[in-house]
Amino acid sequence: MPRIDLRSDTVTHPTPAMRRAMAEAEVGDDVFGDDPTVNALEERAAALLGKEAGLFVASGTMGNLVAQMAHLARGQETIASASSHMVTDEAAGHAVVVGTSMRTLPDRPDGTLDLALVAESFRDPADPHEPISGLVAIENTHAHSMGQPLGVAYTQAVADVAHAHGVPLHVDGARFFNAVVAEGVTPAALAGPADSVTFCLSKGLACPVGSVLVGSRAYIWRARRARKLLGGGMRQVGVLAAPGLLALSDGPDGMIARLAEDHANAHRLAEGLADLSGIESPGGAAQPAPGRLDPARTRTNFVIFRVARDRAAFLADLAARGVLMVPYAHGTIRAVTHYGITAGDVDATLAAVRAALAETAGAGPVPARAGA
Ligand SMILES: *Cc1c(COP(=O)(O)O)cnc(C)c1O
């Protein structure tokens, strides 16, 4: 039986070259700033994104947390999209650790926020009742809208609104390089308008561990202090930074350019799913109205859909055929392509979906949608 794991791009295993780089990494005590591999990774990330400095952290969640701690004081407020990871998937770290509130705005199907609404969301700093607006945060790619990549012009427009109010812009770029590849721009161009950007090494870039935060030198110094406070100061951590350095390289072991394959495979999956009756577009927040799944919306490595069957039974039937997906927001299902998933795996997935749909329906094989 195949095992095709589409639950997330976090399930990727390190490449053979990464394993070798880990074994051979030069290391030192990183809390003393002595780990040459970590230093090289932080410098490479900063240079790539056009910022002064970088900071290697244990996870994307820690990256966003230290990013907020370095931008915000207690009692301040972040303006962010309602379905963003920072709001819904980080155990309220903004409240528990940073001591701030979130002003959440509705996400639109293209992954953007209404800029007029962003502008209206700043609090009155002269009113002692109100929190103090201190940060605007966006997510790129934007997960809940099916991984829409946000472009340079939009990022600049959000930054302009934030900066006009004297507030910085943070980009939660867990899948920042998927956006870079989908938009066909340089990482520095896409990061340019932002004051800070985090990206995950442990997702599409296939590293086992870690994220990097980039920004100005003074800002990253504050973030380094915040990382220490959280217990995230690690020692001979070059063994974990080594795969990241490789992933960000231009050579044959680099993992950025190949993300285009994941996008092509996700698109192939979306096209195949769109032709099946019993599969529908997701609906819900940050999605267009329910109807036929629109493969044109799969611009990166996410496919989100709704199944006209019992979702749990469908996922179990799929798993019994060796294909794993996850339940997602608003009753939907998510499949994510990544390193290790081939076009052949996508075709095998579609066959398994057809069979699972038929089984869950308790009827014969599901016919192709007429005229599709
Ligand atoms: C995965 C993810 C994170 C957090 O990363 P972890 O390494 O899982 O903590 C943050 N933001 C977004 C949009 C993500 O998808």
Side-chain angles (χ1 to χ4, degrees):
M1 194 173 71
R3 182 180 156 90
I4 302 172
D5 192 344
L6 303 173
R7 288 174 300 168
S8 178
D9 43 10
T10 55
V11 302
T12 46
H13 290 196
T15 64
M18 287 180 186
R19 298 267 194 184
R20 284 195 297 277
M22 293 174 80
E24 292 163 11
E26 266 190 80
V27 296
D29 187 330
D30 183 49
V31 175
F32 285 110
D34 280 355
D35 192 303
T37 309
V38 173
N39 293 342
L41 171 63
E42 291 175 347
E43 280 164 27
R44 170 68 181 156
L48 201 54
L49 275 72
K51 302 296 181 202
E52 287 175 2
L55 184 71
F56 182 54
V57 291
S59 67
T61 300
M62 187 185 278
N64 283 332
L65 201 48
V66 301
Q68 291 169 86
M69 290 166 80
H71 278 309
L72 293 160
R74 293 177 71 79
Q76 287 198 307
E77 183 167 76
T78 297
I79 298 170
S81 75
S83 76
S84 66
H85 199 279
M86 285 173 66
V87 170
T88 64
D89 294 297
E90 298 182 5
H94 66 89
V96 178
V97 181
V98 192
T100 54
S101 57
M102 283 279 184
R103 181 132 201 198
T104 60
L105 304 182
D107 313 74
R108 299 191 292 192
D110 65 356
T112 65
L113 298 171
D114 178 340
L115 293 180
L117 216 51
V118 174
E120 280 170 22
S121 300
F122 286 86
R123 306 287 189 175
D124 176 1
D127 183 339
H129 299 83
E130 299 193 32
I132 300 164
S133 303
L135 181 65
V136 175
I138 60 173
E139 186 174 293
N140 197 6
T141 61
H142 181 271
H144 280 235
S145 62
M146 204 137 118
Q148 299 307 312
L150 307 178
V152 174
Y154 171 73
T155 308
Q156 184 65 60
V158 183
D160 289 347
V161 174
H163 294 160
H165 291 84
V167 160
L169 173 68
H170 173 66
V171 175
D172 174 4
R175 297 182 178 85
F176 183 75
F177 291 102
N178 294 86
V180 164
V181 168
E183 289 288 312
V185 297
T186 64
L190 195 52
D195 299 279
S196 58
V197 182
T198 47
F199 64 85
C200 289
L201 294 164
S202 59
K203 291 187 172 167
L205 300 181
C207 300
V209 176
S211 286
V212 182
L213 171 68
V214 298
S216 73
R217 208 170 295 288
Y219 171 76
I220 291 297
W221 188 87
R222 295 197 301 277
R224 192 175 289 280
R225 190 178 180 85
R227 185 185 69 174
K228 189 69 184 151
L229 184 153
L230 297 176
M234 297 183 282
R235 304 295 178 175
Q236 286 72 26
V237 73
V239 290
L240 297 181
L245 197 50
L246 214 52
L248 298 184
S249 68
D250 288 325
D253 296 320
M255 299 297 282
I256 297 173
R258 67 151 304 285
L259 292 171
E261 282 174 48
D262 299 342
H263 300 175
N265 284 331
H267 197 263
R268 183 185 184 93
L269 178 60
E271 284 192 317
L273 289 173
D275 285 345
L276 300 177
S277 68
I279 300 287
E280 314 244 285
S281 72
Q287 295 287 353
R292 183 176 186 265
L293 184 68
D294 179 5
R297 285 182 55 71
T298 292
R299 293 188 57 207
T300 61
N301 64 334
F302 272 37
V303 184
I304 300 175
F305 60 96
R306 186 181 296 278
V307 62
R309 302 279 190 281
D310 179 72
R311 179 174 72 170
F314 170 78
L315 286 171
D317 284 336
L318 208 54
R321 290 173 170 81
V323 176
L324 304 180
M325 298 182 186
V326 284
Y328 208 56
H330 311 293
T332 62
I333 293 170
R334 185 185 77 169
V336 182
T337 56
H338 50 79
Y339 171 69
I341 297 296
T342 63
D345 291 330
V346 169
D347 296 341
T349 296
L350 288 167
V353 168
R354 257 182 240 109
L357 280 174
E359 189 161 315
T360 315
V366 174
R369 186 188 291 269

